[in-house]
Amino acid sequence: MNPISILFDNKHDAATLTASSQQSPPEYTQVSGGSHLFRTLGIENETLTAYLDSAIYMTKVVIYGHNLSPAGTINVELLLNGNAVAETGFKGVAELIPLGRFRVGIDPWGGHDLSGLSTVGFEAVFEPTVANAYRITFKDPTNEKSYLEIGRVFAGAPWSPPKDMNISFGVNVQNKTATRKERTEGGSLIAIGKGSWREVTFSFDHLEDNEFENFIKEMNKTDDTTEVYISVYPEKGGVIEAIHSFAAMRQDGYGTTHNFYNSRRVPLTYVEV
C-alpha cells in the first residue's frame, strides 16, 4: 500500500489562468463553494491552462468536482516555457461501469462503479518534473449538459512519508450530515435540512525525527482554514481510494507526542470542504 499523500501547498491557487471558453471564469477553480464552478461553453477539446510565477517540481494535478460523463477523457500536460515536458495522454475520468453492464473485451477487468459518490475527481500523477505551467484538455462529446464544469484544481508536489512511517491502522472515516430527524405530533418521522461531508481521522504513530521535521514544515504552510487535497490510499483504485480522497481542511490545531526515542506521534482530523 502506498503511503498517504497530502498536497498542502496548492500552486494552482496563485496561478494565472486562461481557458479556451467560459460561461463562468476559470478563477472559480481557485475557490470552493457550490456557486463557484468553472463552466465551459463546449464539451470537446476545452482547455484550462495555468501559468506559475516560477518553475517548480510537480508530481500531481487533481481535477476535483467535475461533471464529465463516463465517456469523458482528460489529458494533463506539464509545460516548461511553453513546451510539454510530460503528459498523461487522454485518460478516462473514472471507472464507471454499472453492475450488470460490464462488456467483455471492452471494459477494463476489475472496473468499479463510482457513479454514486458525491464528488468525482481525476488525478494525474507524474514523476518529479520541472514545470512552470500546465494545460488540462477535456473531451466529453456525449455530455448531456452540453458544457463542462470543474469545481477545484489542485497542483504541486504532495508530501508523503516513507512507507515504514505511514499512518497506523485505525483510519476512521465518518460521513456527517446536516439533516436532523424530528417526530411530528402524529408520530411520523420527518427529515429537516440536507448536506453531507466526510471527516477522516488518522494518526502518524512512528514519524522519525527527521521526517517529523519535514512534515511539520509542510503542514505549517497551511492552517486550519486552508484547503488541502488528501488521499489516504493513493493509487489503490476503486471505491476505497475514492471515498478516502477529497479536498479538506484540518479540523483544528494539532498536537504531537514524543512517544519513544527518535519517534513522534501526530493524530489529525481533516474535514471535507
Side-chain angles (χ1 to χ4, degrees):
M1 182 178 72
N2 291 329
I4 189 172
S5 169
I6 308 175
L7 205 167
F8 290 109
D9 188 8
N10 184 15
K11 298 300 185 182
H12 186 80
D13 286 354
T16 301
L17 306 179
T18 63
S20 55
S21 72
Q22 62 184 72
Q23 293 187 49
S24 56
E27 287 76 17
Y28 279 1
T29 61
Q30 296 171 320
V31 294
S32 287
S35 61
H36 295 92
L37 297 171
F38 163 55
R39 181 180 291 181
T40 67
L41 290 171
I43 56 177
E44 290 197 69
N45 291 316
E46 295 287 346
T47 61
L48 172 62
T49 306
Y51 301 91
L52 307 177
D53 290 336
S54 59
I56 61 167
Y57 277 103
M58 293 190 62
T59 60
K60 180 176 280 192
V61 177
V62 181
I63 296 90
Y64 185 73
H66 60 73
N67 76 332
L68 272 72
S69 73
T73 57
I74 296 177
N75 181 30
V76 181
E77 301 167 274
L78 302 185
L79 309 176
L80 183 62
N81 301 327
N83 298 313
V85 291
E87 67 175 303
T88 60
F90 282 96
K91 294 184 178 296
V93 295
E95 297 170 298
L96 295 170
I97 307 173
L99 296 176
R101 294 176 57 186
F102 180 82
R103 299 165 298 175
V104 177
I106 300 175
D107 293 325
W109 178 255
H112 296 270
D113 178 15
L114 306 181
S115 57
L117 302 182
S118 58
T119 304
V120 181
F122 175 91
E123 296 186 17
V125 180
F126 302 90
E127 293 297 319
T129 303
V130 176
N132 57 10
Y134 46 93
R135 180 169 55 233
I136 308 167
T137 305
F138 308 91
K139 291 182 180 180
D140 195 11
T142 62
N143 194 297
E144 295 179 354
K145 294 288 188 180
S146 74
Y147 58 79
L148 304 179
E149 280 184 343
I150 308 298
R152 241 354 211 118
V153 175
F154 293 85
W159 172 85
S160 290
K163 285 187 176 182
D164 60 351
M165 301 182 205
N166 195 20
I167 55 177
S168 299
F169 289 112
V171 174
N172 181 270
V173 174
Q174 297 284 331
N175 287 283
K176 301 285 188 174
T177 177
T179 304
R180 71 179 193 275
K181 309 293 196 309
E182 291 188 4
R183 291 283 178 187
T184 66
E185 292 182 358
S188 300
L189 184 67
I190 60 172
I192 302 172
K194 286 187 177 182
S196 62
W197 63 94
R198 288 168 281 183
E199 291 183 8
V200 60
T201 300
F202 54 84
S203 181
F204 296 101
D205 287 340
H206 34 74
L207 284 176
E208 294 181 4
D209 285 353
N210 288 341
E211 192 58 38
F212 170 78
E213 291 178 4
N214 293 335
F215 173 61
I216 293 300
K217 286 188 288 187
E218 284 293 315
M219 188 166 60
N220 282 349
K221 294 177 181 178
T222 69
D223 57 27
D224 59 357
T225 68
T226 310
E227 296 174 20
V228 305
Y229 183 78
I230 186 167
S231 182
V232 179
Y233 304 116
E235 299 182 55
K236 183 176 180 63
V239 173
I240 290 177
E241 180 182 354
I243 65 175
H244 291 87
S245 301
F246 50 90
M249 292 182 185
R250 198 172 69 232
Q251 175 75 296
D252 43 34
Y254 63 91
T256 67
T257 301
H258 188 183
N259 51 342
F260 52 89
Y261 174 73
N262 195 34
S263 181
R264 309 278 169 166
R265 180 176 182 272
V266 188
L268 293 165
T269 297
Y270 277 87
V271 182
E272 185 176 17
V273 298

